[in-house]
Amino acid sequence: MTTSIQTRKGVSCQGLTKDYGRGDARVRALRGVDLDISPGELTLLVGPSGCGKTTLISILAGTLDPTDGDVSVLGVDIKSLSKHEKAACRAKNVGFVFQQFNLLPSLTAAENVSVPLVINGYSKTKAVAHAIEVLKSVGLSERIHSLPSQLSGGQQQRVAIARALVHQPRLLVADEPTSAIDARTGHAIMELIREVALQPDRVAVAVTHDSRVYGFADRIITLEDGRVAQEKHVKPEVTNGLFAPV
Amino acid sequence: MTWIALKMLMGDKSKYFAIVFGVSFACFLIAEQSAIFCGVMLRTTSQIRDTHGGDIWVMNSDVRYVDDLKPISDDDLYRVRSVPGVAWAVNLYRGQGQAQLANGTYQGLILMGLDDASLTGAPTHMLVGKIGDLQIPDAILVDEAGFYQMWPGESLRTGKVIEMNQRRAVVVGVYRASQTFMTMPIIYTRFSQATLFVPPTPTGRLMPFVLAKVQPGMDSSDVAERIHDRTGLKALTNEGFMQLTMTYYLQHTGIPLNFGTTVVLAFLVGSAIAGQTFYLFTVENLKQFGTLNAMGMSDRRIVSMILIQGFVVGGIGYGVGVGLATLYGIFSQSAMPLLAFFLPWQVLAVTAVAMIFIVMMASLLSIRRVLVLEPAVVFQGGA
Ligand SMILES: Nc1ncnc2c1ncn2[C@@H]1O[C@H](COP(=O)(O)OP(=O)(O)OP(=O)(O)O)[C@@H](O)[C@H]1O
Ligand SMILES: [Mg+2]
């Protein structure tokens, strides 16, 4: 790796724009986003449908190239990285939680969780042994050898969270992690993200539609029409696993 | 990485079975159709393969294939014998004759005349009687299929009589011939006898071939070339003559073309089935590959995963398909002796090459789909 990750740095962007398509078909998804996200906080990205949340989080995670503007993730200017370097950077530093979980259906829970380690060059045995430890920490010690199809939505999302954390990434991104599961389970998932995922030097960003989970956030950034409309620090209202809606 | 590729491939048993089935079927189709084509082509040369003993066929320089009968002169036999490297040479008559059966009907046939002294080129697989009995006056051998053709319903036996060129001929033996293209009986007799069984030709020339044996340690094709140089006649090794005959049939008859069309169709259908199944499989896995890519798996590793999957499916499908084709060949040989089926290693190689090609094409197409997939798309969940 030619890039060095700086522990204290979070994520910042200036004048970030993103256009999809060309000519008449051009869609301006981001129209100049300025943003600073610090480590050690859970930041929620909210806003109406189509306002650019997924686009923004994809750029931050390094899976999508911005059209213009500066993005620095963990001290690295991601625009300076080649496609291959970006993939290597994601493998090492980014944990993903997807709305549809995106588990590999023919791999067991433990094998699914081991994938990021395997991508980082671990042997299968070592990776799976480590994955089992992480699965225990998300409360799934009973379902280690289950296939995704044998798990409930909430359990699948727990596996996905374990997978996102197994390689100790510096950046955790989650796009609508609770919208494919029922509200109760959604709360449990958000709690898990707060408890397990949130580390002093980890940047955690979650996109959500679901105003009932706002209470888990340290910070809520509202996007509207491709711009940051509102940004506020909040005191998380979660204590001892109890959740109070805003 | 390999284990993930394999688990993705085999995780869904029914899907996996379907892919392997598709590819196996494609391989089977290609191998089986090619083998039938080879079998048909081989039949054009069965008369050459059935003639044992000689290394080189010497013939009129205008001959284009085995049934293109153009006589050479008796002197040519002596000229061939005098060529250095030739151990011995004998004449071999081959011509078309006509027989009148006891019931008065006529039957066209192929008449083979063997060197009187040595009977070189005689059939080897006798069912009734023995080759030596050809020395009896008016003796002939007839092939099994020809026997049943002339005397349907009768069991194979010696002593049957036919008339050729108003001469009596007595069956002293029945042999088994390789399947040929022709349906005519093939009658063997001595050379001197054969000249009596056909009406005299205007030129008086009768001998279409000289069969030559090369001296031990000599190379057949070298000697063949020397015979050609010294005599101006066409001289070909057994393989060379088969090649000439097959090439003639390929270029001048519609039979190989018709079979060739089925082979081409088998290739197309096989490729479509195998390629389509594998391509669809990868496309169904787009979301999984996209997820792996988002999680930082490099393009190179994704490509190698798809290739591993392709080669495993291709390999198993090839094994099963070619195995089935072989079984089919074994079965068909006993159940349907008339079916041409010949599975040389070349067919196996061609099938393997075709499979590699198909799998590579399907993989490349699907790899393209995977690589142009923006990893960002997997966030949307729809991919
Ligand atoms: N691949 C694409 N090609 C063209 N336009 C796109 C593409 N992806 C997103 N867009 C457009 O960009 C804008 C922002 O999309 P984005 O997916 O970021 O919104 P979002 O805030 O995540 O919406 P939602 O809450 O519905 O998920 C939308 O207008 C969308 O139609
Ligand atoms: Mg979205």
Side-chain angles (χ1 to χ4, degrees):
Chain A
M1 283 280 288
T2 54
T3 52
S4 64
I5 301 298
Q6 294 163 35
T7 335
R8 291 279 99 220
K9 292 269 172 80
V11 169
S12 74
C13 40
Q14 272 92 43
L16 195 63
T17 65
K18 175 67 190 178
D19 295 342
Y20 289 108
R22 297 168 174 277
D24 288 345
R26 200 172 70 162
V27 178
R28 182 140 270 211
L30 297 180
R31 309 163 176 266
V33 173
D34 303 318
L35 200 62
D36 272 296
I37 301 174
S38 335
E41 295 181 343
L42 178 58
T43 303
L44 287 189
L45 217 48
V46 304
S49 183
C51 68
K53 305 181 293 293
T54 298
T55 305
L56 178 57
I57 205 176
S58 302
I59 293 173
L60 299 185
T63 62
L64 186 69
D65 293 326
T67 305
D68 209 354
D70 296 316
V71 202
S72 154
V73 178
L74 313 169
V76 178
D77 174 12
I78 56 171
K79 276 176 87 177
S80 69
L81 303 182
S82 70
K83 193 179 182 215
H84 189 77
E85 285 171 330
K86 256 190 295 199
C89 201
R90 290 200 299 272
K92 222 168 148 49
N93 301 304
V94 186
F96 291 89
V97 178
F98 304 95
Q99 180 177 358
Q100 302 293 336
F101 328 131
N102 291 22
L103 299 174
L104 303 192
S106 43
L107 268 54
T108 64
E111 287 167 343
N112 261 295
V113 174
S114 76
V115 168
L117 295 177
V118 173
I119 292 176
N120 279 300
Y122 282 57
S123 71
K124 184 190 177 187
T125 337
K126 247 178 130 174
V128 169
H130 196 71
I132 290 173
E133 291 308 308
V134 182
L135 272 174
K136 285 179 183 161
S137 74
V138 298
L140 279 179
S141 43
E142 308 283 284
R143 312 308 303 264
I144 287 164
H145 300 296
S146 304
L147 292 173
S149 57
Q150 299 161 337
L151 298 173
S152 72
Q155 287 171 328
Q156 289 188 55
Q157 198 59 303
R158 280 167 188 269
V159 175
I161 289 171
R163 179 177 68 178
L165 300 176
V166 70
H167 54 309
Q168 300 285 337
R170 289 282 329 283
L171 173 65
L172 179 78
V173 293
D175 194 2
E176 315 259 8
T178 61
S179 66
I181 42 193
D182 65 74
R184 255 191 85 82
T185 320
H187 296 157
I189 291 297
M190 288 311 289
E191 267 175 53
L192 200 63
I193 290 179
R194 269 212 78 85
E195 283 171 18
V196 186
L198 210 53
Q199 304 282 321
D201 60 350
R202 179 172 290 156
V203 180
V205 187
V207 166
T208 187
H209 253 125
D210 185 356
S211 59
R212 292 167 304 180
V213 303
Y214 285 5
F216 289 96
D218 295 297
R219 195 153 167 243
I220 297 176
I221 296 172
T222 311
L223 283 187
E224 242 163 62
D225 201 16
R227 285 196 192 83
V228 176
Q230 200 186 36
E231 211 186 324
K232 62 177 179 193
H233 274 272
V234 286
K235 196 168 147 22
E237 298 167 44
V238 184
T239 43
N240 301 330
L242 290 174
F243 165 67
V246 202
Chain B
M1 207 62 46
T2 313
W3 67 270
I4 299 180
L6 294 182
K7 280 217 154 186
M8 274 172 82
L9 177 63
M10 299 169 191
D12 187 334
K13 289 279 177 287
S14 56
K15 218 184 266 176
Y16 175 59
F17 181 79
I19 304 167
V20 168
F21 178 83
V23 176
S24 304
F25 181 71
C27 272
F28 169 76
L29 205 61
I30 292 172
E32 186 248 11
Q33 288 296 316
S34 307
I36 289 180
F37 179 76
C38 287
V40 169
M41 287 321 294
L42 203 62
R43 276 188 189 180
T44 63
T45 67
S46 28
Q47 282 281 287
I48 303 170
R49 281 177 296 116
D50 277 2
T51 305
H52 298 272
D55 297 322
I56 295 172
W57 294 71
V58 185
M59 65 204 88
N60 189 301
S61 54
D62 295 332
V63 169
R64 294 163 300 164
Y65 60 103
V66 67
D67 285 308
D68 190 19
L69 301 166
K70 289 170 179 145
I72 50 179
S73 84
D74 294 347
D75 293 345
D76 288 328
L77 174 61
Y78 303 103
R79 291 165 66 203
V80 171
R81 281 180 178 160
S82 69
V83 173
V86 172
W88 49 254
V90 295
N91 45 24
L92 177 73
Y93 176 75
R94 179 179 166 86
Q96 298 209 3
Q98 201 172 48
Q100 193 176 14
L101 307 183
N103 62 10
T105 57
Y106 286 92
Q107 169 72 55
L109 44 78
I110 289 174
L111 185 64
M112 304 289 295
L114 306 173
D115 175 54
D116 283 53
S118 64
L119 297 180
T120 302
T124 47
H125 190 19
M126 294 300 292
L127 300 173
V128 176
K130 52 186 199 294
I131 293 165
D133 289 345
L134 273 185
Q135 301 294 0
I136 300 168
D138 301 330
I140 58 168
L141 304 178
V142 60
D143 66 303
E144 186 187 10
F147 186 97
Y148 290 128
Q149 201 174 335
M150 291 190 284
W151 300 287
E154 292 192 36
S155 54
L156 299 180
R157 63 186 182 86
T158 59
K160 300 298 293 184
V161 173
I162 58 173
E163 207 172 88
M164 287 185 285
N165 193 29
Q166 279 142 24
R167 275 190 79 98
R168 234 170 69 95
V170 184
V171 175
V172 297
V174 181
Y175 70 95
R176 177 166 291 167
S178 304
Q179 283 289 334
T180 66
F181 242 22
M182 309 288 173
T183 52
M184 282 188 273
I186 303 165
I187 304 272
Y188 278 88
T189 183
R190 277 171 290 117
F191 190 88
S192 60
Q193 192 80 57
T195 58
L196 304 172
F197 284 147
V198 287
T201 61
T203 58
R205 292 171 154 197
L206 260 182
M207 182 176 59
F209 298 112
V210 168
L211 270 187
K213 182 87 183 168
V214 302
Q215 282 166 358
M218 302 287 275
D219 181 60
S220 307
S221 29
D222 288 348
V223 177
E225 205 163 302
R226 205 174 302 153
I227 294 173
H228 172 71
D229 290 345
R230 299 266 175 124
T231 63
L233 298 169
K234 186 171 275 186
L236 296 169
T237 60
N238 291 329
E239 291 73 33
F241 196 23
M242 286 195 247
Q243 197 63 53
L244 181 81
T245 301
M246 283 199 264
T247 309
Y248 175 82
Y249 274 96
L250 274 176
Q251 290 174 349
H252 296 279
T253 72
I255 303 152
L257 182 72
N258 293 331
F259 277 95
T261 313
T262 16
V263 175
V264 170
L265 267 178
F267 264 83
L268 291 180
V269 172
S271 311
I273 295 172
Q276 169 98 344
T277 14
F278 185 66
Y279 176 69
L280 283 182
F281 166 75
T282 314
V283 167
E284 277 175 20
N285 286 342
L286 268 182
K287 182 178 171 184
Q288 298 185 48
F289 285 120
T291 304
L292 289 171
N293 191 208
M295 295 196 302
M297 184 178 282
S298 67
D299 287 353
R300 244 187 51 213
R301 278 177 146 185
I302 290 178
V303 168
S304 59
M305 279 177 69
I306 295 176
L307 288 180
I308 286 170
Q309 293 173 339
F311 278 104
V312 168
V313 166
I316 296 176
Y318 175 76
V320 174
V322 163
L324 282 178
T326 311
L327 285 180
Y328 175 84
I330 293 169
F331 168 78
S332 68
Q333 227 99 87
S334 54
M336 303 174 275
L338 283 178
L339 184 84
F341 190 94
F342 176 53
L343 192 65
W345 67 266
Q346 285 91 339
V347 166
L348 301 185
V350 165
T351 310
V353 169
M355 236 343 83
I356 291 174
F357 177 75
I358 295 166
V359 166
M360 289 297 284
M361 285 308 290
S363 302
L364 282 179
L365 281 178
S366 41
I367 284 169
R368 222 184 58 85
R369 287 281 304 266
V370 172
L371 293 190
V372 300
L373 178 75
E374 284 268 358
V377 174
V378 299
F379 270 124
Q380 261 100 14

